[in-house]
Amino acid sequence: MMGIQVSEGIAIGRPLIFKKKQFNITEEIAISYEIENQIIKDAFAKAEEQILNLKEKAIKKAGQEEGDIFEAHLMMLRDPMMRESIDKGLKKNQSAAKAVEDTKNKLMEMFKNIPDSYIQERAADIKDITERLLRIILREEEEDLSQISEPVILIAEDLSPSETVGLSDQVKGIIVETGGRTSHAAILAKALEIPALVGATDAIEQAKDAQMMIMDTIEGKIIVNPTEEELQVYEKKQQRYELEKQQRMIYATQKAVTKDGYPIKVYANIGSLEEWEVAKKYGANGIGLFRTEFLYMQNHHFPTEEEQFSVYKKIAEEGGEEIIIRTLDIGGDKNLAYYKFKEEMNPFLGNRAIRFTLSHIDVFKTQLKAILRAALHGNLKLMYPMISSLEELYQANQCLEQCKVELKEAQIPYKEDLSVGIMIEIPGAAIIANELIKEVDFFSIGTNDLCQYTLAVDRMNPAVSHLYIPHHPSILRLIKQVSQAANEHHKIVGVCGEMAGDPLYTKLLLGLGINELSMSSSSIPKVKEIIINNSYTECQNFAREIEKISETKAIEKKLKEDMGC
Ligand code: PEP
Ligand code: MG
């Protein structure tokens, strides 16, 4: 069963295939416009009440950011576009139910036809809201996934945010046929810490005759109808995983210093203020990557300087010893609902990240000014994504200097000597790292993109995911080259791609000369554990051993042997 893993863990249970009831809406004629309009009014009021309840539930169970998903539902519900479209139907003598159904189809079609995965996934939100209205109008009972009373792995064609947040505690794993990494169901599953797989296109077919299932999203394994022996093995593995997860929390509060006294910066990758609260719990000492694009993606307009300033100021005040803010990294798979990107054959090779901001100077300057101002309130640093050449860096810095001049003229206080770094995520930049380092204060290696560009493997495409190998010798050589350049100039070099949070690579990365690791919060305790229990010299020796191996399989074997797995 192929799919995209969005939440790590092991689940064992009976597969429960969840098929939604299809609404049977006939071409019934309206009683009268007034009566149907009143039905709609009542349905909107009831839907609003239900969504507010769900919002509270989501905040309690998962956090503020998850609650915001339902705030977005409220906004969609209140959006005049939906109401106007329904009203048009009523005026054509349609019944309330038929008018909602037609509006649902029309809006979903509209969203689905926009060639942008983020917006397409918002079609799921429209479906959720309109089906809620239909259930209210037709007095249908809501499918109650909160009443499941035995351990199950839920398998569904799709799962709405409302359904995900209402899940019983007995749902131990989720497999969804549709959706991607940024689908709201995926975000919620991760926040609720339920192992989850999305985009598993054939899941229902494969599980239809199954009595029992094991789902291991750590190793990427699904076992349908396991043997008694397999069940025992995985029950043990699951217990061990949960126990280790709990035990590892003792490392969260410890300092990340190797046995021979070498300190490593262990930071979190976050995209919102709320995530910083979670990151602190897991022991983050700072923020190595603040992905500002979420601020843009969750908005209905390009956020203003003031809107951004208030977020950056708060994060500067509360975000730990160091906070690296990355300028807008939009494009590729990340798009904006309120901005029409030009269609591109290869968006990941197109106008994304720094290329986008340098071609939208006003957007860039608004953000730079907000960062320059907020930097007075804490140890903020600035980072440009996707730099590919010296010229691009000069151009970005020129913009930054211009912002300083304009702030000075307007007598607005800002930080003059703001520290500026770049992400190294394009092989071309890694190759000229010795030149780039002279012009910046630090490097942070984005291994997610570095891997996709070096190996020419689309990081979103499950069909080629077996070729996406972060420990490919070419990647290791590039990392070494970049860290050598930084270390020779006594500048910090970090890794902020997924590799930084994978314990398999911790010793190797330290040995290659990396001095900062920034990762998803939940990975922090296990990475700290490895740092604390190894010496820096051991790491260097280990990296030298690995560097001698030229085949990826052999490298993987050595890495796993060293971890004892
Ligand atoms: C990376 O490319 O490794 C990275 C951290 O950036 P993003 O995943 O946001 O592209
Ligand atoms: Mg990147």
Side-chain angles (χ1 to χ4, degrees):
M1 198 180 289
M2 291 272 279
I4 304 164
Q5 287 157 227
V6 289
S7 181
E8 190 189 271
I10 299 168
I12 302 173
R14 184 174 68 78
L16 178 70
I17 296 176
F18 171 58
K19 282 210 172 129
K20 293 182 206 210
K21 232 187 259 167
Q22 296 296 324
F23 291 105
N24 186 14
I25 296 155
T26 50
E27 272 289 352
E28 49 185 292
I29 302 295
I31 303 171
S32 73
Y33 174 82
E34 285 70 27
I35 289 178
E36 301 298 328
N37 193 34
Q38 190 59 44
I39 294 175
I40 290 290
K41 260 194 187 163
D42 294 345
F44 267 74
K46 183 102 196 213
E48 175 132 359
E49 194 186 305
Q50 288 181 355
I51 298 172
L52 276 168
N53 277 337
L54 278 168
K55 183 182 158 191
E56 258 175 51
K57 207 167 175 178
I59 293 173
K60 257 197 219 133
K61 272 179 89 168
Q64 180 62 44
E65 204 178 339
E66 287 65 33
D68 288 348
I69 293 174
F70 295 100
E71 187 56 43
H73 279 200
L74 284 175
M75 280 164 68
M76 285 185 192
L77 188 73
R78 290 171 191 153
D79 191 327
M81 187 167 70
M82 186 182 293
R83 200 61 181 261
E84 276 161 19
S85 165
I86 294 173
D87 200 53
K88 251 190 209 160
L90 297 186
K91 286 192 174 132
K92 279 195 280 181
N93 224 5
Q94 281 184 337
S95 68
K98 183 76 178 113
V100 173
E101 168 80 359
D102 280 5
T103 296
K104 169 185 145 187
N105 294 337
K106 193 176 92 189
L107 293 181
M108 281 185 58
E109 200 54 35
M110 198 171 93
F111 273 63
K112 278 191 174 155
N113 283 335
I114 299 174
D116 168 338
S117 62
Y118 186 80
I119 296 179
Q120 280 169 6
E121 275 161 13
R122 301 292 77 79
D125 294 307
I126 290 284
K127 189 163 183 253
D128 198 352
I129 299 162
T130 44
E131 290 192 348
R132 176 175 304 287
L133 288 169
L134 283 175
R135 268 197 309 274
I136 296 169
I137 295 168
L138 301 171
R139 295 173 204 276
E140 298 257 3
E141 284 291 316
E142 199 159 352
E143 310 265 359
D144 199 351
L145 295 173
S146 67
Q147 296 304 317
I148 297 168
S149 56
E150 59 166 332
V152 295
I153 293 178
L154 191 72
I155 303 172
E157 193 183 317
D158 69 39
L159 209 54
S160 70
S162 313
E163 284 152 357
T164 314
V165 82
L167 291 181
S168 142
D169 292 345
Q170 291 298 323
V171 175
K172 303 297 180 193
I174 300 175
I175 303 177
V176 187
E177 290 195 330
T178 54
R181 220 176 278 280
T182 51
S183 64
H184 280 147
I187 296 169
L188 280 165
K190 202 167 181 170
L192 296 169
E193 299 192 37
I194 304 174
L197 202 64
V198 298
T201 40
D202 57 348
I204 294 180
E205 180 57 30
Q206 285 206 30
K208 74 176 191 300
D209 299 320
Q211 302 303 316
M212 201 45 143
M213 219 161 143
I214 296 173
M215 172 181 183
D216 175 355
T217 55
I218 308 160
E219 279 195 11
K221 257 196 191 149
I222 304 267
I223 305 176
V224 178
N225 287 332
T227 60
E228 200 48 46
E229 203 182 329
E230 282 172 320
L231 266 178
Q232 280 175 12
V233 169
Y234 276 88
E235 270 163 13
K236 281 214 181 87
K237 198 171 167 193
Q238 185 188 36
Q239 283 165 5
R240 207 168 49 231
Y241 173 77
E242 293 301 332
L243 187 71
E244 281 173 5
K245 198 168 141 191
Q246 263 180 25
Q247 285 171 341
R248 265 198 306 268
M249 283 308 280
I250 57 160
Y251 291 101
T253 49
Q254 296 190 25
K255 283 212 169 86
V257 179
T258 59
K259 278 202 292 198
D260 46 354
Y262 192 91
I264 303 294
K265 293 166 186 269
V266 178
Y267 292 163
N269 291 350
I270 63 164
S272 68
L273 286 167
E274 290 75 26
E275 279 179 74
W276 174 237
E277 293 308 312
V278 181
K280 277 193 287 191
K281 192 181 91 186
Y282 282 107
N285 303 114
I287 298 163
L289 172 62
F290 186 85
R291 287 185 163 106
T292 57
E293 53 272 19
F294 293 108
L295 208 66
Y296 291 72
M297 285 158 77
Q298 282 158 6
N299 228 314
H300 296 280
H301 55 265
F302 281 105
T304 63
E305 186 181 319
E306 285 316 310
E307 281 167 343
Q308 293 188 60
F309 172 67
S310 72
V311 176
Y312 303 154
K313 176 173 177 278
K314 197 141 197 287
I315 206 75
E317 286 166 346
E318 296 174 12
E321 60 187 39
E322 198 174 328
I323 302 108
I324 300 177
I325 300 210
R326 173 172 81 181
T327 60
L328 181 60
D329 183 356
I330 208 77
D333 63 324
K334 292 179 266 188
N335 287 301
L336 302 171
Y338 47 88
Y339 177 85
K340 189 154 175 33
F341 284 81
K342 284 210 180 83
E343 225 168 281
E344 294 179 308
M345 287 274 273
N346 294 301
F348 270 108
L349 301 179
N351 196 22
R352 65 172 287 217
I354 195 73
R355 301 167 183 185
F356 178 86
T357 43
L358 286 177
S359 60
H360 294 76
I361 292 292
D362 289 347
V363 173
F364 196 30
K365 280 173 69 180
T366 303
Q367 183 173 40
L368 291 176
K369 284 182 184 173
I371 297 171
L372 277 164
R373 291 170 54 199
L376 287 176
H377 300 271
N379 192 15
L380 274 198
K381 297 183 172 180
L382 176 71
M383 179 161 76
Y384 305 130
M386 289 271 297
I387 290 287
S388 65
S389 66
L390 276 166
E391 291 75 5
E392 219 167 21
L393 174 61
Y394 294 149
Q395 233 181 313
N397 275 341
Q398 205 178 356
C399 230
L400 183 68
E401 290 311 310
Q402 219 171 325
C403 289
K404 290 182 187 171
V405 171
E406 289 173 21
L407 285 171
K408 193 178 266 170
E409 276 171 8
Q411 297 189 340
I412 299 169
Y414 67 92
K415 188 168 166 72
E416 180 63 46
D417 56 346
L418 181 67
S419 180
V420 178
I422 56 172
M423 287 194 68
I424 299 285
E425 45 188 346
I426 295 180
I431 293 166
I432 58 161
N434 59 338
E435 300 292 334
L436 287 165
I437 195 66
K438 295 177 198 154
E439 308 296 327
V440 295
D441 296 312
F442 62 91
F443 280 158
S444 185
I445 307 176
T447 47
N448 304 342
D449 278 318
L450 188 63
C451 190
Q452 100 162 327
Y453 295 134
T454 308
L455 302 176
V457 180
D458 181 348
R459 63 192 259 193
M460 305 290 284
N461 185 350
V464 286
S465 61
H466 61 290
L467 298 171
Y468 187 92
I469 304 166
H471 52 267
H472 189 288
S474 61
I475 312 285
L476 304 185
R477 284 181 210 175
L478 287 177
I479 293 177
K480 179 150 185 207
Q481 200 173 325
V482 173
S483 75
Q484 264 177 348
N487 285 314
E488 271 164 23
H489 286 80
H490 308 288
K491 292 180 181 173
I492 294 290
V493 53
V495 170
C496 63
E498 291 303 305
M499 222 178 159
D502 189 337
L504 198 63
Y505 301 124
T506 311
K507 277 176 72 179
L508 175 61
L509 290 176
L510 298 197
L512 289 173
I514 298 299
N515 25 59
E516 180 217 294
L517 296 169
S518 191
M519 62 201 78
S520 304
S521 302
S522 58
S523 302
I524 292 174
K526 55 187 176 196
V527 168
K528 276 195 177 181
E529 178 183 5
I530 296 176
I531 296 171
I532 291 166
N533 289 315
N534 285 281
S535 72
Y536 194 63
T537 325
E538 274 171 69
C539 296
Q540 283 175 316
N541 291 339
F542 182 61
R544 266 185 227 117
E545 289 291 308
I546 297 273
E547 278 175 74
K548 285 186 208 147
I549 313 175
S550 40
E551 281 183 43
T552 53
K553 277 267 175 286
I555 295 178
E556 188 177 332
K557 188 162 169 264
K558 177 106 185 141
L559 289 168
K560 285 193 169 157
E561 263 170 21
D562 191 65
M563 289 281 289
C565 50

